[in-house]
Every structure is written in structure tokens, then in C-alpha cells.
Amino acid sequence: MKYVKLFVCVLAKAATSSQPKTLFADAGYDAEWVHRFCREDWQVDSVINPAVHRTDGGLNGMYRSEMTADTLKEKGYGRRWLVESYMSGLKRTPGGTGKGPDRS
């Protein structure tokens, strides 16, 4: 629950300072309210890998049900390794914004 509250704060702050075309998130952030906030309030497309909780494999919610494998692929989801590699390199760069090892 702590992370949900933090995510709400991060989304709210981001919405006041930036306007990306798309929000990409992993299954840990899969919730209909996240899609609804992004699309209806922030006017940003949301692409979130769904966490399936139903025994029949279906997805509840108007926006969550759109997150099929084909839709995710179409919208460019699944290249997380690029972001992870970039962030790792940024943390190792002097003056980087991450909390990587101190190399002084």
C-alpha cells in the first residue's frame, strides 16, 4: 500500500510538470485507476503489462482489457532492457543522478 501512495504522488507531480505521449509501466503498476488517471485526467496514453488475477485469464476494466499482447507489442512495450541499461550507465557516470557506487 505504501508504494501505491507513492505512485499516486509521483503521477500527480509528473502531471504538473510534463506531458509525455505515453506512460509505460510494468505489471506492478497495473490498475484501472492508473489507466483512467493517465488517459482521462492527464491526457497521456498508458501502456501497462497486465497482471492477470482471474482464473479465466480475462482482464477487468475498460482500459486494462485493451492491454493484449498484440497491443503491447504494437505500442512498443517490451524493450525495458534498453531503459535498464541506460539507467545503469547513468548511475556509473560521474555527475549521474543515480545512487551508484562512489568512484572518487
Side-chain angles (χ1 to χ4, degrees):
M1 192 62 158
K2 176 176 117 181
Y3 294 110
V4 172
K5 289 179 183 177
L6 179 62
F7 191 55
V8 170
C9 292
V10 169
L11 280 178
K13 187 170 184 176
T16 64
S17 63
S18 63
Q19 187 69 32
K21 291 182 181 180
T22 307
L23 171 93
F24 290 95
D26 65 17
Y29 300 100
D30 178 42
E32 187 67 17
W33 70 265
V34 175
H35 286 287
R36 199 171 22 251
F37 174 82
C38 289
R39 295 176 183 211
E40 296 173 9
D41 297 336
W42 196 12
Q43 304 301 306
V44 171
D45 191 19
S46 57
V47 180
I48 303 172
N49 191 28
V52 179
H53 300 291
R54 289 177 26 180
T55 56
D56 67 358
L59 298 169
N60 295 331
M62 181 173 73
Y63 297 121
R64 289 185 72 239
S65 63
E66 294 177 7
M67 297 296 113
T68 64
D70 288 340
T71 300
L72 294 173
K73 185 175 181 180
E74 214 174 84
K75 294 188 176 205
Y77 187 88
R79 299 185 64 186
R80 181 176 173 158
W81 65 272
L82 286 171
V83 175
E84 297 291 347
S85 295
Y86 173 79
M87 293 304 289
S88 176
L90 183 64
K91 290 176 183 178
R92 290 190 307 267
T93 303
T97 58
K99 289 198 177 219
D102 184 12
R103 298 188 187 252
S104 45

